């Protein structure tokens, strides 16, 4: 905001100076300059003047001799944008403009990968978006091919190449059938950025429990709980045991520990015992002592 | 100016007069609270004796209450106080008796049975406890016997716990803007529908944590008119179990007072979920759940803490379904006693009479709070 204001005020000042002073010289400017590159501004006429280069976030000032070339070394201008050039002499003022464009060579990627955790086996469940920048953090708007690569610990690799549009490229990837921490990499040439995407098991599948007498109680133990792709459902997942008997009911929510859920409940002859996890129902047992 | 001085003088005189009147002829309750003569009536009847006991409990005059008991030789004063306020920190620890009811059940010349119903005011609302007191005649006075309920003593032991816990590390302030943060838990509303009640619209439903991490959850609903303009926004407040472990389901109930269902064109639901550090323990068994039909429709049962950790506050949420499996009501009750390991504690959730006949099945979930952290 402050730089814009400075730019505006400078422009107004120059315009006023142009009205006040007669023109008696000219200058030769490049139409575009690549960010960070060296460049030269040639002026005509004679006498001394002050050269201003005013852009968004950057202002350069040089005392120059009219009629000579003014050299700006590499790194002088690095923010892409439109720049105003002003020669302010003793009796005259002249202005022109040129553009600083992003460097053509990408130097940095901003990589957004979503989500960081998702269930296995989802089509286009993972999205990666890349913004390409040059060494001075200017967004490179020129089309640039970006390679997206999602690999999981079992060695499966998904790869897509997408060309950027207005500096951005994005791709969708499928989560695989195996749980684990996948590595999601976006790459342009030798520049890359990596993210980790956790693929977690889905809903339990084929939930099954067994019951046996344990003293005056019934001991209920599930088989190792797995999803439909064979991944072990993580510990802490809630498994609900329900025992219904003679109009009464007992319920207990048990977290999986070491892959199984285990609980002891009061033993009621003829009771119907069921097991569920979330919206998934398991088997049902009719309990006879 | 002179009017102002006159008014000030009048106010000062009135204040002095009222102070003098209050000091010379105080109201009985003020005397009692100031430690003077008792507010209590003579214990010449069984009802008066129990009412006196109720007043002493309300004023937390534990010494006087204990002294008035006929069977005080059977227990100590601390045991009596713990029976009323809890042995372990619980809702009752910070509760006070708002009022009480005395209901005669049976009386003869020398003994009587009186029901004392204490209405406690707790941090989560009202709680009622009822004791049936045996009252005996001692000369010209009646003295109640307190039915002491001693808290079971948990034998000293070591209970091995396979301690399962989740902790969360969020992204730091210095991370690049494109850097990942930990994903919020994925939750899903698996059932939702509005019901019209006498006092407004109620939204009932169930929320599932379909993720593999624990979630702090809440549900907000916005009623929209037929022209899609918002009518009101409310959230589930405490009619939900806010902590959901993976694959756990909680019911929720959202009230919109003074809104008619006919005004509602649509409803916008917004489930909120956030990662939360949590523990998978304690495990609470809900035993012997029984649905009782109207009149006095209720769900009763017992909670059994299967872990070694003492649960200070338990919140019981009942979801009631009709024959088609649709949620017809959600009700809850806070347990005002701490849950000790393996010690059954009863609960009773009341069901509205008009809905009770539609209830075919139910599901109960427990939210627990232990001192030193949630869950």
């Amino acid at each position: 905001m402050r730089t814009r204001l400075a730019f505006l005020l400078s422009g107004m000042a120059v315009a006023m100076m142009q009205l006040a002073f007669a023109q008696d010289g000219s200058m030769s400017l490049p139409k575009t300059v690549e960010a960070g590159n060296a460049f030269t501004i040639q002026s005509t006429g004679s006498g001394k003047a002050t050269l201003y280069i005013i852009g968004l976030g950057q202002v350069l000032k040089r005392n120059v001799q009219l009629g000579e070339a003014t050299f700006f070394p590499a790194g002088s201008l690095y923010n892409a944008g439109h720049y105003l050039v002003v020669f302010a002499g003793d009796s005259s003022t002249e202005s022109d403009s040129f553009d600083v464009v992003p460097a053509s060579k990408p130097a940095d990627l901003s990589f957004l990968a979503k989500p960081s955790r998702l269930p296995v086996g989802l089509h286009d469940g993972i999205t990666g978006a890349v913004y390409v920048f040059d060494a001075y953090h200017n967004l490179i708007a020129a089309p640039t091919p970006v390679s997206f690569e999602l690999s999981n610990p079992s060695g499966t690799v998904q790869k897509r190449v997408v060309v950027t549009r207005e500096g951005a490229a994005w791709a969708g990837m499928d989560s695989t059938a195996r749980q684990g921490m996948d590595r999601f990499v976006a790459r342009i040439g030798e520049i890359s950025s990596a993210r980790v995407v956790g693929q977690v098991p889905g809903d339990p599948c084929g939930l099954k429990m067994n019951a046996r007498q344990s003293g005056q109680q019934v001991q209920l133990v599930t088989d190792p709980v797995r999803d439909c792709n064979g991944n072990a459902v993580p510990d802490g997942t809630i498994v609900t045991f329900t025992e219904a008997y003679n109009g009464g009911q007992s319920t207990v929510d048990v977290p999986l520990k070491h892959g199984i859920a285990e609980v002891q409940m009061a033993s009621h002859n003829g009771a119907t015992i069921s097991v569920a996890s979330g919206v998934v129902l398991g088997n049902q047992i009719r309990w006879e002592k | 100016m002179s009017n102002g001085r006159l008014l000030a003088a009048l106010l000062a005189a009135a204040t002095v007069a009222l102070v003098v009147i209050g000091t010379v002829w105080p109201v009985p309750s003020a005397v009692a609270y100031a430690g003077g003569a008792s507010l209590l009536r003579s214990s010449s009847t069984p009802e008066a004796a129990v009412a006196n006991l109720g007043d002493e409990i309300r004023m937390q005059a534990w010494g006087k209450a204990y002294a008035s008991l006929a069977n005080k030789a059977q227990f100590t004063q601390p045991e009596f106080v713990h029976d009323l306020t809890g042995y372990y920190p619980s809702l009752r620890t910070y509760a006070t008796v708002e009022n009480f009811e005395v209901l005669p059940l049976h009386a003869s010349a020398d003994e009587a049975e009186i029901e004392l119903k204490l209405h406690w005011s707790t941090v989560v609302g009202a709680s009622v406890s009822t004791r049936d007191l045996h009252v005996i005649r001692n000369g010209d006075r009646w003295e109640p016997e307190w039915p002491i309920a001693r808290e079971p003593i948990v034998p000293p032991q070591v209970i091995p716990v396979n301690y399962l816990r989740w902790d969360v590390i969020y992204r730091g302030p210095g991370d690049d803007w494109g850097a990942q943060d930990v994903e919020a838990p994925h939750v899903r509303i698996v059932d939702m529908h509005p019901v019209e009640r006498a006092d407004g619209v109620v939204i009932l439903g169930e929320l599932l944590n379909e993720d593999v991490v624990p979630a702090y959850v809440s549900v907000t609903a916005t009623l929209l008119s037929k022209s899609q303009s918002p009518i009101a926004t409310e959230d589930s407040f405490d009619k939900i179990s806010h902590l959901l472990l993976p694959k756990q389901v909680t019911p929720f109930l959202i009230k919109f007072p003074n809104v008619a269902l006919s005004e509602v064109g649509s409803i916008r639901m917004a489930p909120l979920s956030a990662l939360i550090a949590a523990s998978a323990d304690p495990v609470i068994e809900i035993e012997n759940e029984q649905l009782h039909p109207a009149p006095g429709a209720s769900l009763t049962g017992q909670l059994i803490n299967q872990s070694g950790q003492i649960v200070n506050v338990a919140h019981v949420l009942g979801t009631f379904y009709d024959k088609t499996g649709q949620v017809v009501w959600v009700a809850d009750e806070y347990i005002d006693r701490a849950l000790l390991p393996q010690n059954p504690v009863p609960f009773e959730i009341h069901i509205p009479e008009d809905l009770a006949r539609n209830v075919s099945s139910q599901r109960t979930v427990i939210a627990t709070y232990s001192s030193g952290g949630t869950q």
Side-chain angles (χ1 to χ4, degrees), chain A residues 247-248, chain B residues 289-293 297-300 320-321 351 359-362:
Chain B
E289 297 163 74
Q290 301 271 353
L291 272 172
H292 303 281
S298 65
L299 168 69
T300 60
F320 303 96
Y321 307 89
I351 308 167
V359 174
S360 171
S361 60
Q362 58 80 28

Side-chain angles (χ1 to χ4, degrees), chain A residues 114-115 118-128 150 158-160 171-178 182 184 197 199-200 229:
Chain A
K114 295 271 179 183
L118 82 166
V120 294
L122 278 187
H123 177 61
D124 271 350
I126 304 165
T127 307
L150 181 73
Q158 294 177 62
K159 195 170 180 182
R160 308 248 193 292
M173 297 283 190
D174 304 336
S175 63
T176 57
R178 294 293 301 275
D182 288 15
F184 195 11
V197 176
Q199 294 197 163
V200 299
N229 291 303

Side-chain angles (χ1 to χ4, degrees), chain A residues 158-173:
Chain A
Q158 294 177 62
K159 195 170 180 182
R160 308 248 193 292
V161 176
V162 180
V163 177
T164 59
R165 215 165 54 189
E166 303 297 339
W170 56 93
M173 297 283 190

Side-chain angles (χ1 to χ4, degrees), chain B residues 86-352:
Chain B
Y87 286 74
Y88 296 90
S90 65
L91 281 182
R92 193 67 78 72
T93 307
Y94 306 104
T96 54
V97 173
E98 186 72 21
N99 55 59
F100 61 88
E101 296 171 55
V102 175
L103 302 169
L105 301 174
H106 167 76
S108 67
D110 295 321
E111 55 185 22
E113 298 291 332
I114 306 282
E115 183 182 278
L116 175 62
K117 193 180 274 188
L118 298 169
H119 294 267
W120 295 85
S121 178
T122 77
V123 292
V124 293
S127 169
V128 178
S129 68
T130 305
R131 294 290 177 99
D132 290 344
L133 273 59
H134 184 67
V135 190
I136 56 170
R137 190 186 185 102
N138 185 1
D140 59 347
R141 288 170 49 82
W142 288 80
E143 292 178 346
E145 289 182 346
W146 185 254
I148 191 85
R150 288 188 174 85
E151 193 87 358
I153 295 169
V154 181
Q157 61 190 299
V158 177
I159 297 177
V161 176
N162 181 358
Y163 201 67
L164 183 60
R165 184 179 165 79
W166 295 261
D167 288 319
V168 185
I169 300 172
Y170 293 96
R171 58 175 289 177
D175 290 342
D176 172 49
W177 68 275
Q180 288 168 301
D181 201 354
V182 281
E183 190 85 3
H186 300 175
V187 297
R188 182 160 56 100
I189 292 174
V190 291
D191 191 6
M192 185 284 284
H193 71 275
V195 173
E196 179 140 42
R197 302 289 296 164
D199 54 352
V201 171
V202 174
I203 295 174
L204 308 166
E206 289 181 295
L207 184 71
L208 163 70
N209 176 7
E210 54 184 4
D211 214 319
V212 297
V213 291
Y216 172 86
V217 295
S218 182
V219 180
T220 300
T222 301
L223 298 184
L224 302 173
S225 67
K226 292 187 170 63
S227 63
Q228 296 303 299
S229 59
I231 299 172
T233 299
E234 298 285 352
D235 69 19
S236 48
F237 192 53
D238 70 338
K239 296 291 186 278
I240 190 170
S241 174
H242 284 292
L243 178 64
L244 282 189
L245 295 181
K247 308 292 185 247
Q248 200 168 24
V249 179
T250 177
F252 63 82
L253 180 147
I254 304 172
K255 286 184 177 174
F256 289 90
N258 307 318
V259 178
L261 194 54
S262 57
E263 301 169 25
V264 179
S266 60
I267 301 169
R268 192 162 55 216
M269 303 296 295
L272 175 148
S273 73
L275 281 168
I276 187 170
S279 159
D281 287 311
V283 172
I284 309 293
E285 181 184 355
I286 311 155
E287 197 179 49
N288 200 22
E289 297 163 74
Q290 301 271 353
L291 272 172
H292 303 281
S298 65
L299 168 69
T300 60
Q302 291 178 316
L303 305 183
I304 301 178
N305 178 3
Q306 294 201 343
S307 307
Q309 182 184 7
I310 292 170
V311 173
N312 299 102
V313 180
H315 184 200
V316 188
L317 285 147
T319 319
F320 303 96
Y321 307 89
D322 64 10
K323 282 180 184 167
T324 63
Q326 191 175 49
V327 179
V328 293
W329 194 242
V330 173
D332 68 328
E333 190 204 2
Y334 282 92
I335 305 298
D336 60 2
R337 299 286 181 150
L339 302 187
L340 302 185
Q342 300 301 331
N343 181 35
V345 175
F347 70 87
E348 182 174 14
I349 299 175
H350 295 281
I351 308 167

